[in-house]
Amino acid sequence: MDILVTGASGLIGSTLCKVLEQKRHGVSRLSRDPHHRPTWDPEAGILDWGKSGSFDAVIHLAGENIASGRWTGSRKRRIRDSRVQGTRLLAEALAAMPSPPRLLISASAVGFYGSRGDFWLDESSRAGEGFLSEVCQAWEQATQPAIEAGTRVVYLRLGVVLAQEGGFLERLVPVFRCGLGGVMGSGQQYLSWVTLSDVIRAIEFILKHDDLSGPVNLCTPNPVTNRELTKLLGHVLHRLTVLPVPAFVIKTLLGEMGRELILASQRVKPRVLLDAGFEFEHAEIEGALKTLIKSMVLA
């Protein structure tokens, strides 16, 4: 297939492009480099295909990192605009093609559901409340021009991605190795997670299954509480986890970002993928942590 990827330099995109190319797909990377084609500038509303032809599929992963700093007003605007403006620009450009792509896989997140305690959530669940939920809703709605052009659109509602390099574990493991890890807040909040390798496998699965469209939760069927994750991570690293961080400290230090990223609870089930026959390689958190941390030590 001829596949266009945005966010190709990110955690998911960089690995995805390598895997797709190894499997002999033609991969084009939509870049912000003005000397590269195709190129784009979502803030300026510019997208230049250059000599690029049509694409069979587009995998849209671009967006500002939500966890790289406290959420000031300007930072929240950048987070929202990088997703909504970029997606709308891309969807309109694809719709204007003489032959629009058959498939657009557009990233979203389980933050769509808001913080919902221990209630099980699936793709039929309503949207939640809060900044991240509002962003995800607008992010998904921005694909409408592509849908109207006849493109099959999948909203990839990602859980927290666990990888050998980058992301969640890269921040957490050094803290636990120093013996400073502990339960965050009540510890009862659920984390819906997925390994990077399963993200790549699921995207390949969606590319091959023309019957999948709309929201698709991409997280394992086995979310864990923060308390369970803390205990397992301490066990795998052979470290004590006796330094809890109270919720008020997280709220004081990180504000809204702390409430929505650390203290929020999303107990999500990937019903669409499971019903379609997808099998997770890493479905249990303990096995996933052992595999990834062993890889981190050997790297």
Side-chain angles (χ1 to χ4, degrees), residues 174-181 239-243:
V175 176
F176 275 69
R177 278 190 172 138
C178 293
L180 301 175
R239 296 290 189 275
L240 295 175
T241 54
V242 294
L243 295 174

Side-chain angles (χ1 to χ4, degrees), residues 184-252:
M184 310 287 275
S186 71
Q188 296 176 350
Q189 66 272 31
Y190 276 90
L191 178 79
S192 292
W193 62 277
V194 63
T195 62
L196 176 59
S197 60
D198 273 334
V199 171
I200 305 304
R201 292 177 61 251
I203 290 174
E204 292 184 279
F205 185 87
I206 292 168
L207 286 171
K208 297 173 183 176
H209 285 73
D210 294 340
D211 55 329
L212 295 181
S213 64
V216 174
N217 292 334
L218 186 38
C219 52
T220 76
N222 301 300
V224 293
T225 65
N226 177 266
R227 187 174 299 278
E228 291 168 334
L229 175 65
T230 299
K231 181 179 178 180
L232 284 170
L233 197 50
H235 172 70
V236 171
L237 291 169
H238 308 291
R239 296 290 189 275
L240 295 175
T241 54
V242 294
L243 295 174
V245 184
F248 80 87
V249 173
I250 295 170
K251 293 175 183 177
T252 300

Side-chain angles (χ1 to χ4, degrees), residues 87-104:
T87 302
R88 185 178 299 116
L89 173 63
L90 179 64
E92 290 174 349
L94 296 175
M97 283 182 159
S99 298
R102 299 194 302 271
L103 170 64
L104 167 61

Side-chain angles (χ1 to χ4, degrees), residues 43-270:
E43 291 83 7
I46 297 171
L47 196 160
D48 183 355
W49 295 123
K51 296 181 180 179
S52 300
S54 59
F55 305 101
D56 299 307
V58 176
I59 303 171
H60 176 41
L61 304 170
E64 182 91 3
N65 189 334
I66 64 172
S68 61
R70 191 181 176 97
W71 289 353
T72 62
S74 60
R75 176 129 181 80
K76 287 170 69 175
R77 282 193 296 274
R78 289 199 304 273
I79 289 171
R80 188 184 191 282
D81 290 349
S82 69
R83 287 160 172 76
V84 180
Q85 289 182 359
T87 302
R88 185 178 299 116
L89 173 63
L90 179 64
E92 290 174 349
L94 296 175
M97 283 182 159
S99 298
R102 299 194 302 271
L103 170 64
L104 167 61
I105 300 175
S106 187
S108 183
V110 296
F112 174 93
Y113 302 109
S115 184
R116 307 282 277 277
D118 61 357
F119 288 99
W120 277 106
L121 305 164
D122 65 19
E123 290 86 352
S124 66
S125 300
R126 63 172 175 81
E129 299 178 351
F131 172 66
L132 288 181
S133 178
E134 293 170 1
V135 168
C136 288
Q137 292 174 64
W139 195 3
E140 293 180 7
Q141 291 166 3
T143 64
Q144 190 60 35
I147 295 173
E148 293 173 356
T151 295
R152 173 170 66 101
V153 175
V154 170
Y155 309 123
L156 210 58
R157 291 180 183 166
L158 288 153
V160 171
V161 179
L162 305 184
Q164 176 184 336
E165 296 180 5
F168 183 77
L169 281 184
E170 188 174 67
R171 294 185 177 93
L172 211 57
V173 167
V175 176
F176 275 69
R177 278 190 172 138
C178 293
L180 301 175
V183 171
M184 310 287 275
S186 71
Q188 296 176 350
Q189 66 272 31
Y190 276 90
L191 178 79
S192 292
W193 62 277
V194 63
T195 62
L196 176 59
S197 60
D198 273 334
V199 171
I200 305 304
R201 292 177 61 251
I203 290 174
E204 292 184 279
F205 185 87
I206 292 168
L207 286 171
K208 297 173 183 176
H209 285 73
D210 294 340
D211 55 329
L212 295 181
S213 64
V216 174
N217 292 334
L218 186 38
C219 52
T220 76
N222 301 300
V224 293
T225 65
N226 177 266
R227 187 174 299 278
E228 291 168 334
L229 175 65
T230 299
K231 181 179 178 180
L232 284 170
L233 197 50
H235 172 70
V236 171
L237 291 169
H238 308 291
R239 296 290 189 275
L240 295 175
T241 54
V242 294
L243 295 174
V245 184
F248 80 87
V249 173
I250 295 170
K251 293 175 183 177
T252 300
L253 293 176
L254 299 176
E256 186 178 11
M257 185 180 82
R259 290 194 301 274
E260 294 212 22
L261 290 185
I262 298 173
L263 301 176
S265 180
Q266 286 125 9
R267 195 182 190 189
V268 180
K269 180 172 292 186

